[in-house]
Amino acid sequence: MPEPLDLYVLLAPEGQLSGHGQLRETIRERRKRLGEDVPFWYLSPQLVKAFKLSEDKLEAVVAKDSIAIDWLQLRFGGNKSKASLDIAELQEKANALPPKPTYRDLSS
């Protein structure tokens, strides 16, 4: 069984990280450049709870690289921390991209 690894986590209220689509594009570009197995994951509020990072309705980004999390925190806000997580479990359960942004019709 794999040992948990200390990873960096950015937690924010649901929608703060993923609501506008920029995080989705960031993750897509990072995987394109560094490979599909790059240690960089988006966690929906359900996964945040499943990985026991918070019971609140928060979303998260988890990465092995602290600089990536620092950059995301500067860009989107949120709270940075560390957590001991299983990479294999993250690859299995958290490899999906963040949801597509919802656009509001502002023409009316």
Side-chain angles (χ1 to χ4, degrees):
M1 184 163 181
E3 290 289 318
L5 186 65
D6 284 340
L7 298 169
Y8 298 93
V9 178
L10 182 63
L11 288 163
E14 183 178 21
Q16 183 173 327
L17 303 174
S18 66
H20 39 66
Q22 292 177 9
L23 179 62
R24 182 180 176 87
E25 290 305 314
T26 298
I27 293 174
R28 181 180 291 150
E29 183 59 34
R30 191 172 186 89
R31 288 180 181 168
K32 181 179 175 184
R33 197 168 27 92
L34 301 174
E36 288 293 320
D37 60 345
V38 64
F40 196 80
W41 303 274
Y42 169 76
L43 278 64
S44 65
Q46 296 80 10
L47 288 174
V48 167
K49 287 181 183 179
F51 281 97
K52 297 178 176 48
L53 296 173
S54 176
E55 286 299 316
D56 296 328
K57 197 162 186 164
L58 302 175
E59 61 184 348
V61 177
V62 177
K64 190 174 180 181
D65 181 5
S66 68
I67 293 171
I69 295 297
D70 290 341
W71 180 81
L72 290 173
Q73 185 180 32
L74 286 172
R75 188 167 185 189
F76 301 118
N79 296 311
K80 180 181 171 183
S81 62
K82 284 180 91 174
S84 187
L85 300 168
D86 182 342
I87 287 184
E89 188 176 9
L90 283 165
Q91 288 286 33
E92 177 187 334
K93 295 180 180 176
N95 223 23
L97 291 172
K100 291 182 180 180
T102 53
Y103 297 103
R104 291 183 284 160
D105 182 7
L106 301 176
S107 62
S108 339

